[in-house]
Amino acid sequence: DTEVTQTPKHLVMGMTNKKSLKCEQHMGHRAMYWYKQKAKKPPELMFVYSYEKLSINESVPSRFSPECPNSSLLNLHLHALQPEDSALYLCASSPGTGEETQYFGPGTRLLVL
Amino acid sequence: EDQVTQSPEALRLQEGESSSLNCSYTVSGLRGLFWYRQDPGKGPEFLFTLYSAGEEKEKERLKATLTKKESFLHITAPKPEDSATYLCAVRNTGGFKTIFGAGTRLFVKA
């Protein structure tokens, strides 16, 4: 099973709202990732967690706050977003053991009004 | 600086017309080269991982090959359902960051 699940599938929020995106995998992977993807562009890396510790933060604005409660779960907390943050947010995981193929979830389509 | 360039940007084929997509890369030390398929509004679907020059992998109508500077994704007798964006990505030996190319949008007409 190579499934990564993400909730919600769609999210509409105002600029003053606080919301969270959730990601879950049960493949025993120890690395998890958040990506942002705009239309007709490749995924852009935001954060990487390795063994539940944040190992990469690609200079993402503080209005995005990642959290890794355990090795199977990854959250992305959103606060005071801007309309330009509207995008497809993708979660991925990889074994974290040298075999680094990443498996992606279906994404959350976010619209900021 | 690690870099991935895919060509062409878009490719239009007739059903059954075989072709190849190119992925050129520069990386300090290759840990893996990855091919993904992505349908509009969905997450990338994993296709292949290649690790060293000379390696080849096949899956149905797709075959991926790797040299020291580029990778090809060969599509044999494509069908309309093969229409998608194909993404190439590389990871170097230094860490967790994966560099994606801009993708090739493939359109297969019946």
Side-chain angles (χ1 to χ4, degrees):
Chain A
D1 182 12
T2 56
E3 187 177 25
V4 176
T5 59
Q6 291 186 242
T7 56
K9 291 185 179 180
H10 304 276
L11 179 62
V12 179
M13 59 187 293
M15 290 189 285
T16 59
N17 293 158
K18 287 185 180 181
K19 296 286 185 182
S20 295
L21 309 185
K22 297 184 183 300
C23 174
E24 190 168 6
Q25 58 87 15
H26 293 290
M27 295 178 278
H29 289 175
R30 301 312 298 271
M32 296 186 75
Y33 311 75
W34 279 116
Y35 287 86
K36 173 182 178 180
Q37 187 176 29
K38 301 284 257 183
K40 298 186 179 180
K41 297 290 186 182
E44 297 176 31
L45 184 65
M46 300 174 72
F47 304 103
V48 180
Y49 274 83
S50 173
Y51 289 80
E52 295 101 71
K53 292 185 178 179
L54 184 63
S55 62
I56 293 181
N57 177 340
E58 290 288 288
S59 301
V60 178
S62 60
R63 55 186 184 267
F64 295 92
S65 175
E67 178 194 19
C68 189
N70 60 55
S71 60
S72 299
L73 294 174
L74 187 66
N75 298 321
L76 186 63
H77 303 296
L78 313 173
H79 173 57
L81 295 192
Q82 303 297 309
E84 60 264 29
D85 296 321
S86 298
L88 181 67
Y89 288 84
L90 295 163
C91 173
S93 71
S94 69
T97 58
E99 162 52 68
E100 294 308 331
T101 300
Q102 292 180 37
Y103 296 90
F104 285 82
T108 293
R109 173 67 64 187
L110 174 66
L111 177 62
V112 182
L113 300 175
Chain B
E1 183 181 341
D2 298 340
Q3 198 167 17
V4 178
T5 303
Q6 291 188 246
S7 62
E9 289 185 13
L11 180 62
R12 297 180 183 277
L13 299 174
Q14 288 293 126
E15 184 173 4
E17 179 186 2
S18 300
S19 188
S20 296
L21 283 56
N22 177 263
C23 172
S24 297
Y25 66 92
T26 54
V27 65
S28 52
L30 184 67
R31 191 168 192 177
L33 183 141
F34 313 95
W35 282 99
Y36 292 89
R37 169 197 169 124
Q38 187 173 27
D39 293 302
K42 298 189 177 181
E45 174 190 346
F46 169 69
L47 295 174
F48 304 108
T49 301
L50 302 169
Y51 294 103
S52 58
E55 192 173 0
E56 300 182 352
K57 289 190 177 177
E58 289 188 68
K59 178 181 178 181
E60 296 179 355
R61 296 180 291 281
L62 300 176
K63 179 180 178 180
T65 62
L66 181 64
T67 72
K68 289 186 177 180
K69 292 185 177 182
E70 57 190 353
S71 177
F72 291 94
L73 184 66
H74 307 278
I75 302 177
T76 301
K79 299 181 177 182
E81 53 262 41
D82 295 322
S83 298
T85 294
Y86 290 84
L87 295 167
C88 173
V90 298
R91 172 171 287 189
N92 65 25
T93 54
F96 281 98
K97 188 168 183 178
T98 299
I99 309 297
F100 280 85
T104 292
R105 293 195 301 282
L106 174 66
F107 305 92
V108 182
K109 187 176 179 181

